Amino acid sequence: QQWQMNIGVSEDNLLFSCSVWRPQGKSYLFFTQFKAEVKGAKIEYAMAYSQAAVGGQSDVPLKQEEFEITETTVSHREGKFRFELSKLMIVAKTPRDEL
């Protein structure tokens, strides 16, 4: 199964984004769990999807109870995650050094 990853940085180098997705849309893999961790930054926004956009269709987000977001991780929620994951997107902000 082919997956893609895209990493971006804002012009001021404060925001970083990372997306991992299956370009064919829905994954046929059965996920029992998932976890993505950010080091050296804090998560500002994250979203997990059961189906990635393909053929004019939109991304299909997981239900909020299926995953959890902390300052540094995005992961499945034990007993709530329905085993479908086709896309994960994270935007994190680096701490700003004060003079």
Side-chain angles (χ1 to χ4, degrees):
Q1 195 177 88
Q2 187 176 21
W3 287 73
Q4 291 184 355
M5 176 185 269
N6 188 20
I7 298 174
V9 181
S10 64
E11 286 186 25
D12 60 6
N13 290 330
L14 291 178
L15 289 175
F16 295 84
S17 65
C18 177
S19 297
V20 180
W21 75 97
R22 177 155 163 65
Q24 290 78 12
K26 196 166 186 168
S27 176
Y28 61 80
L29 293 177
F30 182 82
F31 288 87
T32 58
Q33 58 187 340
F34 71 90
K35 181 179 180 182
E37 185 175 3
V38 174
K39 292 188 179 187
K42 289 185 178 179
I43 294 175
E44 293 284 308
Y45 173 82
M47 184 54 74
Y49 301 89
S50 62
Q51 185 171 329
V54 66
Q57 296 177 336
S58 298
D59 291 332
V60 178
L62 293 181
K63 291 188 169 119
Q64 199 62 43
E65 72 256 13
E66 290 187 77
F67 67 104
E68 61 186 334
I69 303 166
T70 68
E71 284 188 348
T72 58
T73 64
V74 180
S75 61
H76 73 287
R77 207 177 289 239
E78 197 70 44
K80 301 287 185 181
F81 177 52
R82 292 182 179 89
F83 314 114
E84 294 181 355
L85 183 69
S86 289
K87 183 177 181 180
L88 185 60
M89 187 174 80
I90 298 172
V91 176
K93 187 173 187 177
T94 58
R96 184 173 215 129
D97 291 332
E98 298 296 328
L99 295 176

